[in-house]
Amino acid sequence: MAKVAIMGYGTVGSGVYDIIKTNSEKLCVNANGEPVELKYILDIRDFDDHPEKELFTKDVNDIINDNEVSVVAEVMGGLHPAYEFTKSLLESGKSVVTSNKELVATYGTELLEIAREKNVNYFFEASVGGGIPIIRPMHQCLTANNIEKIAGILNGTTNYILNQMIKNGKTFETALKDAQQKGFAERNPAADIEGHDACRKIAILASLASGKLVDYNDIDTEGITNITLDDVKYAAAMDAVVKLIGYAEFGKDGKIYSIVSPMVIKNDSPLSGVDGVFNAIMVTGDCVGDVMFYGKGAGKLPTASAVVADIVDAVKHSERSKKIFWEKPQGNIMADKNSKKFSYFVRTTDTAENVQKIFSNCSFVDNIVDNESAFVTEPLSQSEVIEKLSMLSDVVTNIRVLN
Ligand code: HSE
């Protein structure tokens, strides 16, 4: 019998509870015949009406000091006290599984190292892509490849918002409220709409792919707060959509280029049709080529399904630590920001003549808004585009185009 605990009884925590209760036979079979029994739920709130209210505790030491508990699901989110609790649990010889991308991206190197030393596991399948299997496939199934590129729609909330704007002509604010009511958005919506959530997730994937810690502070991050309905309409006119993309490219020299940014994606790309709260991650390996992972990237049961899968895996591997890790790099591993060129979709109130003079190789797009010029540039580095845009009298929008 494997005794487990849940830390945090919010959307994901209650989903973990539900799955453990409803799929208990299936979990037992998949955990090599070992029943998975819930012994504690940690939360600072009262749940007096809960049918198993005796499981609740407000004191993490009840879990840390209970030798029967072998696996703990940390689904509380945030850095503190999740970090301190996770560290103490791993040090006391318990495996921890998590959906907490902020914690994995910030303290993952140290927590994975402690897990390795203690011969337990720190699993984080639910931290990227919600219910989509991506961490294990990257770590195991794609292990024969040098990963060349990752491009992903990694945030369900922003994808839902953009989709509502594109398909239903909703304003940004109404679509955001909708997403919050459906339980997709983070407690602080800034994490979603300003791209920080996607940034943590691409940092985790890039660290996993390279074996070296990619510090999310080194990833230029732009959210979707400046994207307007007009931008979305222009994209549609170009047979494209606007999506928030987490992007990483791995050079043969060991350098990594990474960015989070809204991008115009042509409708012939598989990423363009990813709607609503769905996520998709395109991984390019040197042997396998492109593979795409697709599914629900947020929400109670999809995310909980990945957390519970980690619980079962931790129960199955209670005698050994699986060697998932990355290390702190010696020196800078990030590529020069100008090493990557993108085309840009630009809107300006300047004249077409001026645009043509400054951006000699550009293609104009039919106007949707009066008195402006809209065009797509040739591939340009960041400093090239900044220089050229500064020569226009006014820039309404500039959005990278995913190539
Ligand atoms: N707020 C996140 C999203 C939840 O919208 O994708 C899953 O990490």
Side-chain angles (χ1 to χ4, degrees), residues 99 101 126-130 154-159 183-187 191-192 197-198 201 277 279 297-299 303:
S99 56
K101 58 247 148 190
S127 67
V128 182
L154 299 170
N155 184 268
T157 302
T158 46
N159 203 49
F184 305 145
E186 299 293 309
R187 263 175 301 179
D192 292 308
D197 177 76
K201 291 169 177 169
V277 78
N279 283 190
T303 310

Side-chain angles (χ1 to χ4, degrees), residues 161-393:
I161 291 170
L162 289 169
N163 203 223
Q164 290 293 315
M165 290 168 76
I166 295 164
K167 295 260 157 82
N168 300 331
K170 280 195 188 166
T171 63
F172 177 84
E173 288 73 21
T174 315
L176 170 61
K177 261 199 203 111
D178 236 36
Q180 282 172 315
Q181 274 162 7
K182 290 193 158 72
F184 305 145
E186 299 293 309
R187 263 175 301 179
N188 172 3
D192 292 308
I193 60 181
E194 288 172 11
H196 305 307
D197 177 76
C199 173
R200 304 303 186 269
K201 291 169 177 169
I202 193 69
I204 292 171
L205 294 180
S207 300
L208 199 61
S210 64
K212 302 262 190 287
L213 170 69
V214 174
D215 186 337
Y216 61 81
N217 293 301
D218 293 336
I219 300 176
D220 280 352
T221 298
E222 189 188 320
I224 62 162
T225 49
N226 292 328
I227 302 296
T228 64
L229 272 178
D230 285 334
D231 294 332
V232 163
K233 284 183 194 159
Y234 268 108
M238 291 189 284
D239 203 18
V241 286
V242 179
K243 299 278 185 196
L244 183 68
I245 297 293
Y247 186 88
E249 213 174 282
F250 304 83
K252 290 204 163 52
D253 58 358
K255 296 279 187 188
I256 300 163
Y257 172 87
S258 187
I259 193 164
V260 172
S261 160
M263 294 192 193
V264 172
I265 303 180
K266 295 295 265 180
N267 284 339
D268 59 9
S269 159
L271 289 173
S272 70
V274 176
D275 285 346
V277 78
F278 281 81
N279 283 190
I281 304 143
M282 179 91 82
V283 181
T284 310
D286 60 352
C287 308
V288 73
D290 288 342
V291 280
M292 185 154 123
F293 300 87
Y294 171 81
K296 283 190 180 148
K300 176 174 168 163
L301 289 181
T303 310
S305 108
V307 174
V308 176
D310 275 352
I311 292 177
V312 170
D313 202 18
V315 169
K316 273 163 77 176
H317 293 93
S318 58
E319 300 304 317
R320 71 181 176 92
S321 165
K322 287 175 92 179
K323 303 286 180 280
I324 304 179
F325 70 98
W326 51 76
E327 56 192 20
K328 276 218 167 82
Q330 309 281 328
N332 179 29
I333 53 166
M334 300 310 283
D336 185 321
K337 293 193 190 313
N338 285 308
S339 62
K340 171 75 187 166
K341 294 191 177 199
F342 285 99
S343 290
Y344 288 78
F345 166 63
V346 182
R347 290 169 56 201
T348 175
T349 51
D350 211 331
T351 62
E353 290 72 28
N354 273 349
V355 168
Q356 192 74 71
K357 258 189 244 158
I358 300 164
F359 295 85
S360 39
N361 277 323
C362 67
S363 42
F364 284 92
V365 179
D366 287 345
N367 271 27
I368 286 180
V369 178
D370 289 342
N371 300 320
E372 67 175 36
S373 311
F375 58 99
V376 177
T377 71
E378 65 181 318
L380 298 168
S381 71
Q382 188 160 298
S383 63
E384 286 167 340
V385 78
I386 289 172
E387 192 194 331
K388 285 176 184 287
L389 290 177
S390 73
M391 293 157 77
L392 292 170
S393 63

